[in-house]
PDB file of all heavy atoms in Angstrom:
ATOM      1  N   LEU A  23     195.595 208.986  78.129  1.00 75.00           N
ATOM      2  CA  LEU A  23     194.312 209.389  78.720  1.00 75.00           C
ATOM      3  C   LEU A  23     193.837 210.712  78.136  1.00 75.00           C
ATOM      4  O   LEU A  23     192.639 210.901  77.870  1.00 75.00           O
ATOM      5  CB  LEU A  23     194.436 209.499  80.244  1.00 75.00           C
ATOM      6  CG  LEU A  23     194.290 208.204  81.030  1.00 75.00           C
ATOM      7  CD1 LEU A  23     194.653 208.428  82.493  1.00 75.00           C
ATOM      8  CD2 LEU A  23     192.865 207.677  80.931  1.00 75.00           C
ATOM      9  N   ALA A  24     194.756 211.631  77.934  1.00 79.00           N
ATOM     10  CA  ALA A  24     194.390 212.917  77.339  1.00 79.00           C
ATOM     11  C   ALA A  24     193.853 212.718  75.925  1.00 79.00           C
ATOM     12  O   ALA A  24     192.850 213.327  75.529  1.00 79.00           O
ATOM     13  CB  ALA A  24     195.597 213.856  77.331  1.00 79.00           C
ATOM     14  N   ALA A  25     194.491 211.817  75.164  1.00 80.00           N
ATOM     15  CA  ALA A  25     194.041 211.565  73.791  1.00 80.00           C
ATOM     16  C   ALA A  25     192.678 210.895  73.763  1.00 80.00           C
ATOM     17  O   ALA A  25     191.820 211.232  72.936  1.00 80.00           O
ATOM     18  CB  ALA A  25     195.075 210.698  73.076  1.00 80.00           C
ATOM     19  N   VAL A  26     192.455 209.944  74.679  1.00 73.00           N
ATOM     20  CA  VAL A  26     191.198 209.194  74.695  1.00 73.00           C
ATOM     21  C   VAL A  26     190.033 210.050  75.173  1.00 73.00           C
ATOM     22  O   VAL A  26     188.922 209.982  74.639  1.00 73.00           O
ATOM     23  CB  VAL A  26     191.339 207.937  75.588  1.00 73.00           C
ATOM     24  CG1 VAL A  26     189.983 207.301  75.846  1.00 73.00           C
ATOM     25  CG2 VAL A  26     192.275 206.930  74.937  1.00 73.00           C
ATOM     26  N   THR A  27     190.273 210.886  76.201  1.00 78.00           N
ATOM     27  CA  THR A  27     189.187 211.654  76.811  1.00 78.00           C
ATOM     28  C   THR A  27     188.974 213.016  76.175  1.00 78.00           C
ATOM     29  O   THR A  27     187.906 213.626  76.348  1.00 78.00           O
ATOM     30  CB  THR A  27     189.460 211.861  78.312  1.00 78.00           C
ATOM     31  OG1 THR A  27     190.680 212.609  78.475  1.00 78.00           O
ATOM     32  CG2 THR A  27     189.582 210.522  79.029  1.00 78.00           C
ATOM     33  N   GLY A  28     189.997 213.526  75.446  1.00 80.00           N
ATOM     34  CA  GLY A  28     189.889 214.858  74.874  1.00 80.00           C
ATOM     35  C   GLY A  28     190.212 215.966  75.863  1.00 80.00           C
ATOM     36  O   GLY A  28     190.086 217.154  75.537  1.00 80.00           O
ATOM     37  N   LEU A  29     190.640 215.600  77.065  1.00 78.00           N
ATOM     38  CA  LEU A  29     191.013 216.595  78.076  1.00 78.00           C
ATOM     39  C   LEU A  29     192.440 217.066  77.848  1.00 78.00           C
ATOM     40  O   LEU A  29     193.248 216.383  77.223  1.00 78.00           O
ATOM     41  CB  LEU A  29     190.886 215.994  79.478  1.00 78.00           C
ATOM     42  CG  LEU A  29     189.490 215.535  79.907  1.00 78.00           C
ATOM     43  CD1 LEU A  29     189.559 214.780  81.224  1.00 78.00           C
ATOM     44  CD2 LEU A  29     188.555 216.736  80.041  1.00 78.00           C
ATOM     45  N   SER A  30     192.754 218.220  78.382  1.00 80.00           N
ATOM     46  CA  SER A  30     194.122 218.721  78.286  1.00 80.00           C
ATOM     47  C   SER A  30     195.036 217.916  79.199  1.00 80.00           C
ATOM     48  O   SER A  30     194.580 217.268  80.154  1.00 80.00           O
ATOM     49  CB  SER A  30     194.181 220.191  78.685  1.00 80.00           C
ATOM     50  OG  SER A  30     193.914 220.338  80.070  1.00 80.00           O
ATOM     51  N   ALA A  31     196.339 217.948  78.917  1.00 77.00           N
ATOM     52  CA  ALA A  31     197.313 217.236  79.750  1.00 77.00           C
ATOM     53  C   ALA A  31     197.262 217.725  81.196  1.00 77.00           C
ATOM     54  O   ALA A  31     197.361 216.932  82.141  1.00 77.00           O
ATOM     55  CB  ALA A  31     198.716 217.417  79.173  1.00 77.00           C
ATOM     56  N   ALA A  32     197.066 219.035  81.373  1.00 79.00           N
ATOM     57  CA  ALA A  32     197.001 219.591  82.734  1.00 79.00           C
ATOM     58  C   ALA A  32     195.768 219.086  83.477  1.00 79.00           C
ATOM     59  O   ALA A  32     195.839 218.733  84.666  1.00 79.00           O
ATOM     60  CB  ALA A  32     196.993 221.116  82.668  1.00 79.00           C
ATOM     61  N   SER A  33     194.624 219.015  82.779  1.00 79.00           N
ATOM     62  CA  SER A  33     193.399 218.531  83.415  1.00 79.00           C
ATOM     63  C   SER A  33     193.526 217.067  83.814  1.00 79.00           C
ATOM     64  O   SER A  33     193.117 216.667  84.910  1.00 79.00           O
ATOM     65  CB  SER A  33     192.206 218.702  82.474  1.00 79.00           C
ATOM     66  OG  SER A  33     191.958 220.061  82.216  1.00 79.00           O
ATOM     67  N   VAL A  34     194.110 216.267  82.911  1.00 73.00           N
ATOM     68  CA  VAL A  34     194.316 214.851  83.219  1.00 73.00           C
ATOM     69  C   VAL A  34     195.206 214.705  84.447  1.00 73.00           C
ATOM     70  O   VAL A  34     194.919 213.920  85.347  1.00 73.00           O
ATOM     71  CB  VAL A  34     194.931 214.117  82.010  1.00 73.00           C
ATOM     72  CG1 VAL A  34     195.427 212.727  82.417  1.00 73.00           C
ATOM     73  CG2 VAL A  34     193.914 214.000  80.893  1.00 73.00           C
ATOM     74  N   SER A  35     196.293 215.458  84.486  1.00 78.00           N
ATOM     75  CA  SER A  35     197.222 215.385  85.615  1.00 78.00           C
ATOM     76  C   SER A  35     196.526 215.723  86.923  1.00 78.00           C
ATOM     77  O   SER A  35     196.698 215.032  87.938  1.00 78.00           O
ATOM     78  CB  SER A  35     198.399 216.331  85.378  1.00 78.00           C
ATOM     79  OG  SER A  35     199.293 216.297  86.472  1.00 78.00           O
ATOM     80  N   ASN A  36     195.700 216.763  86.917  1.00 77.00           N
ATOM     81  CA  ASN A  36     195.003 217.178  88.147  1.00 77.00           C
ATOM     82  C   ASN A  36     193.985 216.133  88.588  1.00 77.00           C
ATOM     83  O   ASN A  36     193.871 215.823  89.789  1.00 77.00           O
ATOM     84  CB  ASN A  36     194.305 218.519  87.922  1.00 77.00           C
ATOM     85  CG  ASN A  36     195.288 219.680  87.815  1.00 77.00           C
ATOM     86  OD1 ASN A  36     196.393 219.606  88.381  1.00 77.00           O
ATOM     87  ND2 ASN A  36     194.909 220.721  87.107  1.00 77.00           N
ATOM     88  N   ILE A  37     193.241 215.576  87.638  1.00 80.00           N
ATOM     89  CA  ILE A  37     192.233 214.567  87.981  1.00 80.00           C
ATOM     90  C   ILE A  37     192.909 213.298  88.520  1.00 80.00           C
ATOM     91  O   ILE A  37     192.448 212.696  89.491  1.00 80.00           O
ATOM     92  CB  ILE A  37     191.354 214.243  86.759  1.00 80.00           C
ATOM     93  CG1 ILE A  37     190.529 215.467  86.361  1.00 80.00           C
ATOM     94  CG2 ILE A  37     190.426 213.062  87.062  1.00 80.00           C
ATOM     95  CD1 ILE A  37     189.802 215.317  85.045  1.00 80.00           C
ATOM     96  N   VAL A  38     194.008 212.900  87.869  1.00 72.00           N
ATOM     97  CA  VAL A  38     194.736 211.712  88.333  1.00 72.00           C
ATOM     98  C   VAL A  38     195.239 211.912  89.754  1.00 72.00           C
ATOM     99  O   VAL A  38     195.129 211.012  90.597  1.00 72.00           O
ATOM    100  CB  VAL A  38     195.896 211.384  87.376  1.00 72.00           C
ATOM    101  CG1 VAL A  38     196.839 210.361  88.004  1.00 72.00           C
ATOM    102  CG2 VAL A  38     195.369 210.870  86.049  1.00 72.00           C
ATOM    103  N   LYS A  39     195.780 213.089  90.038  1.00 78.00           N
ATOM    104  CA  LYS A  39     196.271 213.374  91.397  1.00 78.00           C
ATOM    105  C   LYS A  39     195.131 213.287  92.410  1.00 78.00           C
ATOM    106  O   LYS A  39     195.277 212.715  93.498  1.00 78.00           O
ATOM    107  CB  LYS A  39     196.912 214.755  91.443  1.00 78.00           C
ATOM    108  CG  LYS A  39     198.273 214.837  90.773  1.00 78.00           C
ATOM    109  CD  LYS A  39     198.826 216.263  90.825  1.00 78.00           C
ATOM    110  CE  LYS A  39     200.174 216.351  90.108  1.00 78.00           C
ATOM    111  NZ  LYS A  39     200.689 217.744  90.097  1.00 78.00           N
ATOM    112  N   GLU A  40     193.981 213.830  92.053  1.00 77.00           N
ATOM    113  CA  GLU A  40     192.827 213.822  92.962  1.00 77.00           C
ATOM    114  C   GLU A  40     192.346 212.387  93.234  1.00 77.00           C
ATOM    115  O   GLU A  40     192.116 212.009  94.394  1.00 77.00           O
ATOM    116  CB  GLU A  40     191.689 214.638  92.362  1.00 77.00           C
ATOM    117  CG  GLU A  40     190.418 214.630  93.213  1.00 77.00           C
ATOM    118  CD  GLU A  40     189.250 215.275  92.497  1.00 77.00           C
ATOM    119  OE1 GLU A  40     189.472 216.010  91.518  1.00 77.00           O
ATOM    120  OE2 GLU A  40     188.104 215.028  92.927  1.00 77.00           O
ATOM    121  N   LEU A  41     192.225 211.577  92.154  1.00 72.00           N
ATOM    122  CA  LEU A  41     191.728 210.217  92.310  1.00 72.00           C
ATOM    123  C   LEU A  41     192.769 209.306  92.969  1.00 72.00           C
ATOM    124  O   LEU A  41     192.415 208.353  93.667  1.00 72.00           O
ATOM    125  CB  LEU A  41     191.304 209.650  90.957  1.00 72.00           C
ATOM    126  CG  LEU A  41     190.101 210.342  90.298  1.00 72.00           C
ATOM    127  CD1 LEU A  41     189.785 209.706  88.950  1.00 72.00           C
ATOM    128  CD2 LEU A  41     188.873 210.301  91.204  1.00 72.00           C
ATOM    129  N   ALA A  42     194.040 209.601  92.763  1.00 74.00           N
ATOM    130  CA  ALA A  42     195.081 208.831  93.446  1.00 74.00           C
ATOM    131  C   ALA A  42     195.053 209.124  94.937  1.00 74.00           C
ATOM    132  O   ALA A  42     195.201 208.218  95.777  1.00 74.00           O
ATOM    133  CB  ALA A  42     196.446 209.159  92.853  1.00 74.00           C
ATOM    134  N   ALA A  43     194.838 210.391  95.290  1.00 74.00           N
ATOM    135  CA  ALA A  43     194.751 210.762  96.708  1.00 74.00           C
ATOM    136  C   ALA A  43     193.542 210.123  97.370  1.00 74.00           C
ATOM    137  O   ALA A  43     193.571 209.799  98.568  1.00 74.00           O
ATOM    138  CB  ALA A  43     194.684 212.279  96.839  1.00 74.00           C
ATOM    139  N   ALA A  44     192.473 209.890  96.572  1.00 70.00           N
ATOM    140  CA  ALA A  44     191.265 209.261  97.114  1.00 70.00           C
ATOM    141  C   ALA A  44     191.367 207.743  97.144  1.00 70.00           C
ATOM    142  O   ALA A  44     190.435 207.062  97.591  1.00 70.00           O
ATOM    143  CB  ALA A  44     190.060 209.681  96.273  1.00 70.00           C
ATOM    144  N   GLY A  45     192.493 207.203  96.664  1.00 72.00           N
ATOM    145  CA  GLY A  45     192.692 205.750  96.697  1.00 72.00           C
ATOM    146  C   GLY A  45     192.020 205.014  95.561  1.00 72.00           C
ATOM    147  O   GLY A  45     191.903 203.781  95.598  1.00 72.00           O
ATOM    148  N   ILE A  46     191.597 205.746  94.502  1.00 77.00           N
ATOM    149  CA  ILE A  46     190.919 205.113  93.371  1.00 77.00           C
ATOM    150  C   ILE A  46     191.911 204.713  92.278  1.00 77.00           C
ATOM    151  O   ILE A  46     191.806 203.639  91.696  1.00 77.00           O
ATOM    152  CB  ILE A  46     189.828 206.039  92.808  1.00 77.00           C
ATOM    153  CG1 ILE A  46     188.726 206.248  93.865  1.00 77.00           C
ATOM    154  CG2 ILE A  46     189.230 205.481  91.524  1.00 77.00           C
ATOM    155  CD1 ILE A  46     187.701 207.279  93.476  1.00 77.00           C
ATOM    156  N   LEU A  47     192.861 205.578  92.001  1.00 75.00           N
ATOM    157  CA  LEU A  47     193.868 205.306  90.989  1.00 75.00           C
ATOM    158  C   LEU A  47     195.251 205.175  91.622  1.00 75.00           C
ATOM    159  O   LEU A  47     195.480 205.645  92.738  1.00 75.00           O
ATOM    160  CB  LEU A  47     193.895 206.427  89.935  1.00 75.00           C
ATOM    161  CG  LEU A  47     192.629 206.647  89.101  1.00 75.00           C
ATOM    162  CD1 LEU A  47     192.837 207.804  88.134  1.00 75.00           C
ATOM    163  CD2 LEU A  47     192.229 205.384  88.360  1.00 75.00           C
ATOM    164  N   ARG A  48     196.144 204.536  90.873  1.00 73.00           N
ATOM    165  CA  ARG A  48     197.548 204.517  91.270  1.00 73.00           C
ATOM    166  C   ARG A  48     198.388 204.843  90.050  1.00 73.00           C
ATOM    167  O   ARG A  48     197.980 204.607  88.911  1.00 73.00           O
ATOM    168  CB  ARG A  48     197.951 203.159  91.844  1.00 73.00           C
ATOM    169  CG  ARG A  48     197.934 202.013  90.860  1.00 73.00           C
ATOM    170  CD  ARG A  48     198.610 200.781  91.452  1.00 73.00           C
ATOM    171  NE  ARG A  48     198.668 199.697  90.479  1.00 73.00           N
ATOM    172  CZ  ARG A  48     197.972 198.576  90.547  1.00 73.00           C
ATOM    173  NH1 ARG A  48     197.154 198.382  91.559  1.00 73.00           N
ATOM    174  NH2 ARG A  48     198.094 197.638  89.629  1.00 73.00           N
ATOM    175  N   THR A  49     199.554 205.414  90.275  1.00 78.00           N
ATOM    176  CA  THR A  49     200.443 205.772  89.174  1.00 78.00           C
ATOM    177  C   THR A  49     201.777 205.068  89.350  1.00 78.00           C
ATOM    178  O   THR A  49     202.176 204.731  90.467  1.00 78.00           O
ATOM    179  CB  THR A  49     200.674 207.292  89.106  1.00 78.00           C
ATOM    180  OG1 THR A  49     201.270 207.727  90.335  1.00 78.00           O
ATOM    181  CG2 THR A  49     199.368 208.032  88.893  1.00 78.00           C
ATOM    182  N   ALA A  50     202.449 204.854  88.220  1.00 76.00           N
ATOM    183  CA  ALA A  50     203.760 204.203  88.244  1.00 76.00           C
ATOM    184  C   ALA A  50     204.567 204.704  87.056  1.00 76.00           C
ATOM    185  O   ALA A  50     204.007 204.969  85.988  1.00 76.00           O
ATOM    186  CB  ALA A  50     203.607 202.688  88.176  1.00 76.00           C
ATOM    187  N   PRO A  51     205.877 204.836  87.231  1.00 78.00           N
ATOM    188  CA  PRO A  51     206.707 205.263  86.094  1.00 78.00           C
ATOM    189  C   PRO A  51     206.749 204.196  85.016  1.00 78.00           C
ATOM    190  O   PRO A  51     206.712 202.998  85.300  1.00 78.00           O
ATOM    191  CB  PRO A  51     208.088 205.469  86.732  1.00 78.00           C
ATOM    192  CG  PRO A  51     208.078 204.624  87.971  1.00 78.00           C
ATOM    193  CD  PRO A  51     206.662 204.616  88.456  1.00 78.00           C
TER     194      PRO A  51
END
Side-chain angles (χ1 to χ4, degrees):
L23 277 171
V26 169
T27 61
L29 298 172
S30 68
S33 296
V34 168
S35 179
N36 289 333
I37 294 171
V38 167
K39 286 178 182 177
E40 177 188 342
L41 294 179
I46 295 173
L47 298 179
R48 67 169 183 250
T49 60

